[in-house]
Structure formats: C-alpha cells, structure tokens
Amino acid sequence: YQRVKDIHFNNVAIDLLINDLPKFYQSSSSIKTLAKHIGINPALLAEDSSTSMSAQLISFCIDKEKVEELIDRMIYDYPQIFK
C-alpha cells in the first residue's frame, strides 16, 4: 500500500482504488475474475483477503500500465463506484 499511496491516474487517487475495490469485489474469486477481464493472469495473485488481493492487483496494474483498464472495468461492473 505504501508504494502506491498518493499516486493518481486521471485524477483518481490510487489509494481511493485500494479503499473502494474490496468494497465492490468482496471475494478472492471476484478479484481473480476482474484480473482476468483486464488481462492480468489471476495465478499471479496470492490467495489472501480481498483487501490484500486488491492491493496486489492494483500493484500489478501499475507495473503493467493497466490502471486505465482496471478503472474502466470497475466502472463497467459498478457504474456507481466513483460517484
């Protein structure tokens, strides 16, 4: 979490993603499905709590430059997520 704190992508704070993603994707299987939908291999995620797995996914998205795809998919799945 410390590594991505205060980073922004198109005015969406990454720490907002870290806080909100597990509220909507509440199980490891839903986070793995989200990863698959954005082109991240779900096998890369260590099985853990949804909060921890969300942080792992966000970190992978930053490393692979897929934050935009992550945000787009979250909005597709839950249009109310950033309102």
Side-chain angles (χ1 to χ4, degrees):
Y1 175 75
Q2 223 28 53
R3 181 175 97 80
V4 297
K5 190 174 179 182
D6 298 325
I7 295 175
H8 288 75
F9 181 83
N10 287 353
N11 295 322
V12 175
I14 296 299
D15 40 331
L16 177 66
L17 286 178
I18 291 171
N19 291 329
D20 284 354
L21 198 149
K23 292 177 187 173
F24 290 86
Y25 300 87
Q26 298 179 349
S27 68
S28 62
S29 63
S30 65
I31 293 171
K32 288 179 179 181
T33 299
L34 175 60
K36 189 171 110 182
H37 283 142
I38 62 171
I40 301 281
N41 183 347
L44 295 172
L45 302 172
E47 194 71 36
D48 206 336
S49 69
S50 61
T51 303
S52 176
M53 290 181 74
S54 296
Q56 291 176 54
L57 179 57
I58 292 165
S59 182
F60 280 121
C61 287
I62 291 168
D63 291 345
K64 307 246 185 237
E65 297 182 359
K66 290 189 163 278
V67 175
E68 184 173 9
E69 288 95 331
L70 175 63
I71 292 170
D72 287 348
R73 185 62 199 206
M74 291 170 69
I75 292 170
Y76 176 82
D77 290 343
Y78 298 100
Q80 73 279 20
I81 196 165
F82 298 121
K83 294 185 178 174

